[in-house]
Amino acid sequence: MDWDSKVASNIKAVEFSGIRKFFDLASTMKDVISLGVGEPDYSAPDPVIEACIASLKRKETSYTSNWGLLELRKEIGKLFETRYGVKYNPNDEIMVTVGVSEAIGVILTAILNPGDEVLIPDPAYLAYPACVSIAHGKPVLVPTFAKDEFRLIVEELEKKVTPRTKAILIGYPNNPTGTVMNRDSLMKIASFAEKHDLIVISDEIYCDLTYEGQHTCFASFPGMHDRTFVMNGFSKSYAMTGLRVGYICGPAQIMQQVYKVHQYEILCTSVTSQYGAIAALKYCDDDVKAMFREYKIRRDIVYDGLCQMGLSVVKPQGAFYIFPDISVTGMNDEEFADRLLKEEKVGVVPGSCFGPGGKNHIRISYAASRENLVEALKRMAQFVKKYKKLNDAGHLFP
């Protein structure tokens, strides 16, 4: 069987994750400090673990409603109304998913016809364009620039919108840049979406890691509730990555169609994990705040270290990523990441994994211990110094 000829063309066109490529390589080496994967170095808070164990002891191992446990959906609805003044009916406007990853996929499957275009900031989380392509859509990358702190500018959106544009997919705080869009900047995006009658898909998984100002829920803008999907979850704020719990909030009419996709493809999220998520929302605010404070300290450590070694870098305002420009070394981002891993045993991700706008940048995750961050910065500083000197002298690399 010639399986290569049998694979769907849209799937063959999607590249494998560049993040996983470097993570898998790093995992085969000894004494590597991996700053590549965006996973908290914490375990889930004790109330979450205890709730999961208690549910298993009650032998609650059955399916839940395809929508998810009603108690969890009510807690999510309460959170949105209390924090943002946005109301969602837990019965038909909130659906529990297997992380935000599933949420992206089921939304795009539900709304896209072949060839429909989706606007995506560049650079952005590498799953966004991949999931659009898998759903038979066309990802359209909209450039953002370091001079604007990688904020999405309406003028750039206007250059890319066409009659085939159906949606805009954004994620703020941003992975990989750590960019936060303030309320005024997001309001301009909302006006653009309304002007062109676009669906907005807003990934707000890093909302609790906003270091400067306050997070703005996109659906809170006038007129946006009825055209916006808000996605969020428990992986980052609550260190529940492996428990795989996310959710979608959206207008009832379209949520019925998203639910249909989820119903047939997934059925439901793990009941054990859902009980853990309920406990997270009820009892773990202090844990979230403690992790937030620690990430902010780590951000400053890494930002200062990168500046001291002479790299151009925008100070991130959210998430737990930083995106320095490594052009001074004379290497492109792929070469830099490969050599840094092999020579200094520090794992980072090439910026081009996140789109053409990431060229000559690397993504560093500072969801690692202070001790590891300090050691990684020490190794990276001597690496940068060596290659910057060689580049300045016009010498070939060894």
Side-chain angles (χ1 to χ4, degrees), residues 44 52 56 139 144 146 160 227 240 248 315 337 345 351 354 372 393:
C52 291
L56 289 171
T144 64
K160 298 291 186 177
R227 67 169 64 247
M240 293 169 59
I248 305 166
K315 189 171 188 177
K345 296 185 178 180
F354 304 94
N372 279 347

Side-chain angles (χ1 to χ4, degrees), residues 193-392:
E194 190 167 36
K195 173 184 174 182
H196 294 284
D197 193 26
L198 302 181
I199 298 165
V200 179
I201 308 167
S202 182
D203 180 356
E204 302 183 14
I205 187 68
Y206 294 101
C207 67
D208 289 319
L209 299 177
T210 301
Y211 308 119
E212 317 296 338
Q214 298 292 321
H215 175 74
T216 300
C217 176
F218 201 91
S220 67
F221 290 112
M224 289 300 109
H225 183 282
D226 289 340
R227 67 169 64 247
T228 301
F229 292 105
V230 177
M231 306 181 297
N232 209 326
F234 297 83
S235 292
K236 311 302 181 179
S237 301
Y238 298 94
M240 293 169 59
T241 49
L243 294 179
R244 309 308 303 130
V245 191
Y247 56 86
I248 305 166
C249 300
Q253 184 179 7
I254 186 60
M255 283 297 289
Q256 290 292 332
Q257 302 305 314
V258 177
Y259 166 77
K260 188 190 300 181
V261 180
H262 170 79
Q263 184 181 56
Y264 285 117
E265 290 192 349
I266 303 296
L267 289 180
C268 68
T269 306
S270 158
V271 61
T272 308
S273 298
Q274 290 188 62
Y275 278 112
I278 292 169
L281 290 175
K282 283 186 171 181
Y283 310 121
C284 297
D285 284 354
D286 288 343
D287 297 273
V288 173
K289 291 174 183 175
M291 285 187 272
F292 168 85
R293 289 191 294 269
E294 177 61 22
Y295 287 135
K296 190 173 183 180
I297 292 170
R298 295 176 186 183
R299 175 198 66 162
D300 293 341
I301 290 171
V302 176
Y303 175 74
D304 291 344
L306 294 172
C307 289
Q308 288 170 13
M309 66 181 78
L311 297 184
S312 175
V313 60
V314 176
K315 189 171 188 177
Q317 295 185 326
F320 41 56
Y321 307 105
I322 193 165
F323 206 57
D325 186 326
I326 49 80
S327 301
V328 294
T329 64
M331 288 179 276
N332 65 35
D333 49 291
E334 287 270 356
E335 292 170 328
F336 185 98
D338 185 62
R339 287 174 177 264
L340 181 64
L341 179 61
K342 292 176 180 176
E343 296 178 23
E344 299 293 343
K345 296 185 178 180
V346 175
V348 298
V349 181
S352 54
C353 290
F354 304 94
K359 181 182 178 182
N360 295 330
H361 291 73
I362 58 168
R363 190 195 74 171
I364 295 170
S365 168
Y366 48 88
S369 69
R370 295 190 206 181
E371 179 183 6
N372 279 347
L373 291 174
V374 169
E375 176 59 26
L377 288 167
K378 178 182 175 182
R379 298 180 189 182
M380 191 181 299
Q382 60 190 25
F383 178 82
V384 168
K385 181 179 180 181
K386 175 174 68 175
Y387 283 104
K388 184 178 182 298
K389 184 176 181 181
L390 286 168
N391 186 48
D392 290 345

